[in-house]
Coordinates of all heavy atoms in Angstrom, one line a residue:
S182 N 8.5 9.0 -19.5 CA 7.9 10.2 -19.0 C 7.5 10.0 -17.5 O 7.7 8.9 -16.9 CB 6.6 10.5 -19.8 OG 6.9 10.7 -21.1
A183 N 7.1 11.1 -16.9 CA 6.9 11.1 -15.4 C 5.9 10.0 -15.0 O 4.9 9.7 -15.6 CB 6.1 12.5 -15.1
A184 N 6.3 9.3 -13.9 CA 5.6 8.2 -13.3 C 5.5 7.0 -14.2 O 4.6 6.1 -13.9 CB 4.2 8.7 -12.8
A185 N 6.3 6.8 -15.2 CA 6.2 5.6 -16.0 C 6.9 4.5 -15.2 O 7.9 4.7 -14.5 CB 7.1 5.8 -17.3
Q186 N 6.3 3.3 -15.3 CA 6.8 2.2 -14.5 C 7.2 1.0 -15.5 O 6.3 0.5 -16.2 CB 5.7 1.6 -13.6 CG 5.1 2.7 -12.7 CD 6.0 3.0 -11.5 OE1 6.4 2.2 -10.7 NE2 6.5 4.2 -11.5
I187 N 8.5 0.7 -15.5 CA 9.0 -0.3 -16.4 C 9.4 -1.4 -15.4 O 10.3 -1.3 -14.6 CB 10.3 0.1 -17.2 CG1 10.0 1.5 -17.9 CG2 10.7 -1.0 -18.1 CD1 8.8 1.4 -18.9
G188 N 8.7 -2.5 -15.5 CA 8.7 -3.6 -14.4 C 10.1 -4.3 -14.6 O 10.7 -4.3 -15.7
G189 N 10.4 -5.0 -13.5 CA 11.6 -5.8 -13.5 C 11.3 -7.3 -13.4 O 10.3 -7.6 -12.9
V190 N 12.2 -8.1 -13.9 CA 12.1 -9.5 -13.9 C 13.4 -10.1 -13.4 O 14.3 -10.2 -14.3 CB 11.6 -10.1 -15.2 CG1 11.4 -11.6 -15.0 CG2 10.3 -9.5 -15.7
L191 N 13.5 -10.4 -12.2 CA 14.7 -11.0 -11.7 C 14.6 -12.6 -11.5 O 15.5 -13.4 -11.7 CB 15.1 -10.4 -10.3 CG 16.5 -10.8 -9.7 CD1 17.6 -10.6 -10.8 CD2 16.8 -9.9 -8.6
E192 N 13.4 -13.0 -11.0 CA 13.1 -14.4 -10.9 C 11.7 -14.7 -11.6 O 10.9 -13.9 -11.6 CB 13.1 -14.8 -9.4 CG 14.4 -14.7 -8.7 CD 14.2 -15.1 -7.2 OE1 13.6 -14.4 -6.4 OE2 14.7 -16.2 -7.0
P193 N 11.6 -15.9 -12.1 CA 12.7 -16.9 -12.4 C 13.6 -16.5 -13.4 O 13.4 -15.5 -14.1 CB 11.8 -18.1 -12.9 CG 10.6 -17.5 -13.4 CD 10.3 -16.3 -12.6
I194 N 14.9 -17.0 -13.3 CA 16.0 -16.4 -14.1 C 15.8 -16.6 -15.6 O 16.3 -15.8 -16.3 CB 17.3 -17.1 -13.6 CG1 17.3 -18.7 -13.9 CG2 17.6 -16.8 -12.2 CD1 18.6 -19.3 -13.7
N195 N 14.9 -17.4 -16.1 CA 14.6 -17.6 -17.5 C 13.4 -16.8 -18.0 O 13.0 -16.9 -19.1 CB 14.5 -19.1 -17.9 CG 15.9 -19.8 -17.8 OD1 16.9 -19.3 -18.3 ND2 15.8 -20.9 -17.2
A196 N 12.8 -16.1 -17.1 CA 11.5 -15.3 -17.4 C 11.8 -14.3 -18.5 O 12.9 -13.6 -18.5 CB 10.9 -14.7 -16.2
S197 N 10.9 -14.0 -19.3 CA 11.1 -12.9 -20.3 C 11.3 -11.6 -19.8 O 10.7 -11.2 -18.9 CB 9.8 -12.9 -21.2 OG 9.5 -14.1 -21.9
P198 N 12.3 -10.9 -20.3 CA 12.7 -9.6 -19.9 C 11.7 -8.5 -20.3 O 11.0 -8.8 -21.2 CB 14.1 -9.4 -20.4 CG 14.1 -10.1 -21.7 CD 13.3 -11.4 -21.4
V199 N 11.7 -7.4 -19.6 CA 11.0 -6.3 -20.0 C 11.9 -5.4 -20.9 O 13.0 -5.0 -20.4 CB 10.4 -5.4 -18.9 CG1 9.6 -4.3 -19.3 CG2 9.6 -6.4 -18.0
V200 N 11.6 -5.1 -22.1 CA 12.5 -4.5 -23.0 C 11.7 -3.2 -23.7 O 10.6 -3.4 -24.2 CB 12.9 -5.3 -24.2 CG1 13.8 -4.7 -25.1 CG2 13.6 -6.6 -23.6
I201 N 12.4 -2.1 -23.7 CA 12.0 -0.9 -24.4 C 13.1 -0.6 -25.3 O 14.2 -0.2 -24.9 CB 11.8 0.3 -23.5 CG1 10.8 -0.1 -22.3 CG2 11.2 1.5 -24.2 CD1 9.4 -0.3 -22.7
E202 N 12.8 -0.7 -26.7 CA 13.9 -0.6 -27.6 C 14.1 0.9 -27.9 O 13.5 1.8 -27.4 CB 13.6 -1.4 -28.9 CG 13.6 -2.9 -28.6 CD 13.5 -3.7 -29.9 OE1 13.1 -3.1 -31.0 OE2 13.8 -4.9 -29.9
D203 N 15.0 1.2 -28.9 CA 15.5 2.5 -29.2 C 14.4 3.4 -29.6 O 13.5 3.1 -30.4 CB 16.6 2.5 -30.3 CG 17.8 1.8 -29.8 OD1 18.0 1.6 -28.7 OD2 18.6 1.5 -30.8
D204 N 14.5 4.8 -29.2 CA 13.7 5.9 -29.8 C 12.2 5.6 -29.5 O 11.3 6.1 -30.2 CB 13.8 6.0 -31.3 CG 15.3 6.3 -31.7 OD1 15.7 7.4 -31.3 OD2 15.8 5.5 -32.4
V205 N 11.8 4.9 -28.4 CA 10.5 4.8 -27.9 C 10.1 5.9 -27.0 O 10.9 6.4 -26.2 CB 10.3 3.4 -27.2 CG1 9.0 3.3 -26.5 CG2 10.5 2.2 -28.1
I206 N 8.9 6.4 -27.1 CA 8.3 7.4 -26.2 C 7.3 6.7 -25.3 O 6.3 6.1 -25.7 CB 7.6 8.5 -26.9 CG1 8.5 9.2 -27.9 CG2 7.0 9.6 -25.9 CD1 9.6 9.9 -27.4
V207 N 7.6 6.7 -24.0 CA 6.7 6.1 -23.0 C 6.0 7.2 -22.2 O 6.7 8.0 -21.5 CB 7.4 5.2 -22.0 CG1 6.5 4.6 -21.0 CG2 8.2 4.1 -22.8
G208 N 4.7 7.3 -22.5 CA 3.9 8.5 -21.8 C 3.8 8.3 -20.3 O 4.1 7.4 -19.7
G209 N 3.4 9.5 -19.8 CA 3.2 9.5 -18.3 C 2.3 8.5 -17.8 O 1.2 8.2 -18.4
N210 N 2.6 7.9 -16.6 CA 1.7 6.9 -15.9 C 1.6 5.7 -16.7 O 0.6 4.9 -16.4 CB 0.4 7.5 -15.5 CG 0.5 8.6 -14.4 OD1 0.9 8.2 -13.3 ND2 0.2 9.8 -14.7
C211 N 2.4 5.4 -17.6 CA 2.4 4.1 -18.3 C 3.0 3.0 -17.4 O 3.8 3.3 -16.5 CB 3.2 4.1 -19.6 SG 2.4 5.0 -21.0
G212 N 2.5 1.7 -17.6 CA 3.1 0.6 -17.0 C 3.4 -0.4 -18.0 O 2.6 -0.9 -18.7
V213 N 4.7 -0.9 -18.0 CA 5.1 -2.0 -19.0 C 5.8 -3.0 -18.0 O 6.8 -2.8 -17.4 CB 6.1 -1.4 -20.0 CG1 6.5 -2.6 -21.0 CG2 5.6 -0.3 -20.8
Y214 N 5.2 -4.3 -18.1 CA 5.5 -5.3 -17.1 C 6.0 -6.6 -17.8 O 6.1 -6.6 -19.0 CB 4.4 -5.5 -16.1 CG 4.0 -4.2 -15.4 CD1 2.7 -3.6 -15.8 CD2 4.8 -3.6 -14.5 CE1 2.4 -2.4 -15.1 CE2 4.5 -2.4 -13.9 CZ 3.3 -1.8 -14.2 OH 2.9 -0.6 -13.6
E215 N 6.2 -7.5 -16.9 CA 6.8 -8.8 -17.4 C 6.3 -9.4 -18.6 O 5.1 -9.4 -19.0 CB 6.6 -9.9 -16.4 CG 7.3 -11.2 -16.7 CD 6.8 -12.4 -16.0 OE1 6.0 -12.2 -15.0 OE2 7.0 -13.5 -16.4
G216 N 7.2 -9.8 -19.6 CA 6.8 -10.4 -20.8 C 6.4 -9.4 -21.9 O 5.6 -9.9 -22.7
T217 N 7.0 -8.3 -21.8 CA 6.5 -7.2 -22.8 C 7.8 -6.7 -23.5 O 8.7 -6.3 -22.9 CB 5.8 -6.1 -22.3 OG1 4.6 -6.6 -21.6 CG2 5.3 -5.1 -23.3
V218 N 7.7 -6.6 -24.8 CA 8.8 -6.0 -25.6 C 8.2 -4.9 -26.5 O 7.2 -5.2 -27.3 CB 9.5 -7.1 -26.6 CG1 10.5 -6.3 -27.5 CG2 10.2 -8.1 -25.8
V219 N 8.7 -3.7 -26.3 CA 8.2 -2.5 -27.1 C 9.2 -2.3 -28.2 O 10.4 -1.8 -27.8 CB 7.9 -1.3 -26.2 CG1 7.4 -0.2 -27.1 CG2 6.9 -1.7 -25.1
R220 N 9.0 -2.5 -29.4 CA 9.9 -2.3 -30.5 C 10.2 -0.8 -30.7 O 9.5 0.0 -30.3 CB 9.3 -2.9 -31.7 CG 9.2 -4.4 -31.8 CD 10.5 -5.2 -31.6 NE 10.4 -6.6 -31.9 CZ 11.3 -7.4 -31.5 NH1 12.5 -7.1 -30.9 NH2 11.2 -8.7 -31.8
S221 N 11.3 -0.6 -31.5 CA 11.8 0.7 -31.7 C 10.8 1.7 -32.3 O 9.9 1.3 -33.1 CB 13.1 0.7 -32.6 OG 12.7 0.1 -33.8
R222 N 10.9 2.9 -31.9 CA 10.1 4.1 -32.4 C 8.6 3.9 -32.0 O 7.8 4.8 -32.6 CB 10.2 4.2 -33.9 CG 11.7 4.4 -34.4 CD 11.8 4.7 -35.9 NE 11.3 6.0 -36.2 CZ 10.1 6.1 -36.9 NH1 9.4 5.1 -37.3 NH2 9.7 7.4 -37.2
A223 N 8.2 3.0 -31.3 CA 6.8 3.0 -30.8 C 6.5 4.1 -29.8 O 7.4 4.7 -29.2 CB 6.5 1.7 -30.1
V224 N 5.3 4.5 -29.7 CA 4.8 5.5 -28.8 C 3.7 5.0 -28.0 O 2.7 4.5 -28.5 CB 4.3 6.8 -29.7 CG1 3.7 7.9 -28.7 CG2 5.4 7.4 -30.5
L225 N 3.9 5.1 -26.7 CA 2.8 4.6 -25.7 C 2.2 6.0 -25.2 O 2.9 6.7 -24.5 CB 3.4 3.8 -24.6 CG 4.3 2.6 -25.0 CD1 4.7 1.8 -23.8 CD2 3.5 1.7 -26.0

Side-chain angles (χ1 to χ4, degrees):
S182 300
Q186 305 285 295
I187 310 302
V190 184
L191 188 52
E192 294 183 285
I194 58 175
N195 290 312
S197 298
V199 180
V200 179
I201 309 292
E202 294 187 345
D203 297 347
D204 300 298
V205 169
I206 305 294
V207 180
N210 289 296
C211 283
V213 183
Y214 303 110
E215 182 201 346
T217 304
V218 175
V219 180
R220 294 295 193 197
S221 62
R222 301 185 69 250
V224 178
L225 306 184

